[in-house]
């Protein structure tokens, strides 16, 4: 799957978002190193802290399916700049992505920024920090 197709999958995933409170749909598309695609959308809850972002939905679906190695992730929202992941998503991504995993951030205006996990969250907290 090429970057353009991955971005389209992320944009299409926005349409499945459950966002009655923020009205801010976000979509994500995650490509595993084995070539499988997992999509996610944000799912809100009236108790805001239990809302789950699109990035984490896609990652958790892949993990539940036994996939633990990821090639790249695309995230899409209707923003002025390419949409950045929140802090919680960055931390989850840093646990499962290696430092060179590509992350494509985009909006509905064809603005895209590609960065690595290391660039997105340098000096992240890792499982090895627990020892």
């Amino acid at each position: 799957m090429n970057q353009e197709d991955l971005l389209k999958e992320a944009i299409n995933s926005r349409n499945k978002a459950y966002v009655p409170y923020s009205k801010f749909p976000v979509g994500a598309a995650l490509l595993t190193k084995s070539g499988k695609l997992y999509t996610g959308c944000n799912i809100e809850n009236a108790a805001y802290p239990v809302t789950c972002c699109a990035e984490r939905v896609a990652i958790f679906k892949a993990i539940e399916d036994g996939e633990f190695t990821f090639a790249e992730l695309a995230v899409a929202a209707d923003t002025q700049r390419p949409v950045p992941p929140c802090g919680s998503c960055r931390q989850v991504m840093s646990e499962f992505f290696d430092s060179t995993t590509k992350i494509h951030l985009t909006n509905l205006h064809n603005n895209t920024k590609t960065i690595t996990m290391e660039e997105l969250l340098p000096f992240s907290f890792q499982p090895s920090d627990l020892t």
Side-chain angles (χ1 to χ4, degrees):
M1 172 170 283
N2 64 36
Q3 179 182 331
E4 184 177 321
D5 290 338
L6 193 64
L7 290 167
K8 285 179 186 175
E9 291 289 343
I11 290 168
N12 290 338
S13 293
R14 289 179 64 253
N15 297 327
K16 299 175 184 174
Y18 176 74
V19 291
Y21 310 106
S22 72
K23 310 285 193 253
F24 185 70
V26 179
L30 176 65
L31 184 63
T32 67
K33 289 189 178 177
S34 68
K36 290 184 181 177
L37 176 70
Y38 293 88
T39 59
C41 60
N42 52 328
I43 302 167
E44 295 181 344
N45 189 280
Y48 292 155
V50 296
T51 292
C52 197
C53 299
E55 300 92 313
R56 286 181 283 148
V57 169
I59 292 167
F60 295 161
K61 285 167 67 175
I63 297 297
E64 191 274 334
D65 205 25
E67 294 284 343
F68 290 90
T69 56
F70 304 107
E72 48 192 320
L73 172 77
V75 184
D78 189 8
T79 51
Q80 291 297 83
R81 63 180 178 157
V83 65
C86 75
S88 295
C89 287
R90 291 175 194 221
Q91 181 58 43
V92 168
M93 291 160 63
S94 76
E95 175 127 351
F96 295 107
F97 295 1
D98 67 40
S99 62
T100 62
T101 301
K102 290 183 180 177
I103 301 160
H104 310 288
L105 311 175
T106 194
N107 60 19
L108 302 185
H109 312 287
N110 294 320
N111 302 119
T112 301
K113 180 177 181 75
T114 298
I115 57 177
T116 64
M117 187 64 235
E118 177 65 25
E119 293 169 317
L120 183 64
L121 187 61
F123 198 62
S124 63
F125 187 81
Q126 296 294 309
S128 61
D129 293 319
L130 296 171
T131 59

